Amino acid sequence: MQLALVHARYQLLEIVRIPVAVFGSAFFPAAAMIFFVVPFAGEDATGATFATASMVTFSVMSANIFQYGVGVAEDRDQPWNPYTRTLPAGPAPRFAGRVLAGLALTYLSLIPVVVIGATLTAARITPVALLLTVGTVAVISVPFTLMGLAIGYSLPSKAAIVVAQVVFLPLAFGGGLLSAPGEAPGFIETISPFLPTRGAAELMWAAVGDYSVEPLALIMLGVWVVLLATLAGWAYRRDEGRRFS
């Protein structure tokens, strides 16, 4: 655990030295809050609460896909990366440190969304629901962490940036993150339960208010976790084999 914390500290220091990395993870959800949630749902307590939860999901997805997808790909390009894999501690502490650093960055990226929701809208949440939401953030980070890892270990850094950008917005729109629960266009309502963003969003909605999670969305979220874990594991083993063959 101590080695994992050392690696996490290193990862966080590396990220903080380039503030734009932190800014980028928080910008799009915060901008969406200001331009869409505040003017259209800001005075409706229930609507604003669910919309803020959607933007939290948006931020979680953004932070993890880009942090792992681009970050891992860039690390793989570093000449010292193969050496670190030969150290006696093995890859586990470094991987655990990256996950801890990514989770810290995820929570950091949520601050602007939460502040905007609390100060510029009528969104309200109970202390118990707030604690539940904090835990739910860690849970819904899992599929997007795995997605980022799959991208990062499969592709070189330049390609990883493009792929992360390509999958990001379709998942947000297709998952219904930019509309109220049950009020997305018909086509979006049809496809959204099959996307990981919808299952993640529904867990967030259930955490902050009176919302019943659709079983299909939850089942498909589990399916996505299994598929993405398999893909990320395969990509990691392939990369490992290439570097030491």
Side-chain angles (χ1 to χ4, degrees), residues 13-25:
L13 286 174
E14 194 175 50
I15 293 169
V16 170
R17 286 171 183 164
I18 309 175
V20 70
V22 180
F23 175 79
S25 298

Side-chain angles (χ1 to χ4, degrees), residues 93-155:
R94 187 172 178 222
F95 179 78
R98 180 180 290 280
V99 171
L100 290 174
L103 194 58
L105 180 63
T106 297
Y107 282 111
L108 185 62
S109 70
L110 298 179
I111 294 175
V113 172
V114 173
V115 169
I116 293 170
T119 59
L120 300 181
T121 76
R124 294 294 179 267
I125 188 172
T126 65
V128 173
L130 179 60
L131 290 176
L132 183 59
T133 301
V134 171
T136 303
V137 166
V139 173
I140 67 171
S141 294
V142 173
F144 305 117
T145 296
L146 293 171
M147 185 178 296
L149 291 172
I151 293 171
Y153 282 119
S154 299
L155 301 168

Side-chain angles (χ1 to χ4, degrees), residues 31-81:
M33 281 288 295
I34 291 173
F35 291 111
F36 295 103
V37 176
V38 173
F40 297 110
E43 297 181 359
D44 177 9
T46 302
T49 301
F50 283 130
T52 302
S54 295
M55 291 302 102
V56 167
T57 307
F58 193 107
S59 187
V60 169
M61 178 179 65
S62 170
N64 285 283
I65 289 179
F66 285 97
Q67 161 73 4
Y68 293 104
V70 180
V72 168
E74 289 179 344
D75 281 355
R76 288 171 55 232
D77 290 340
Q78 300 297 324
W80 48 264
N81 185 59

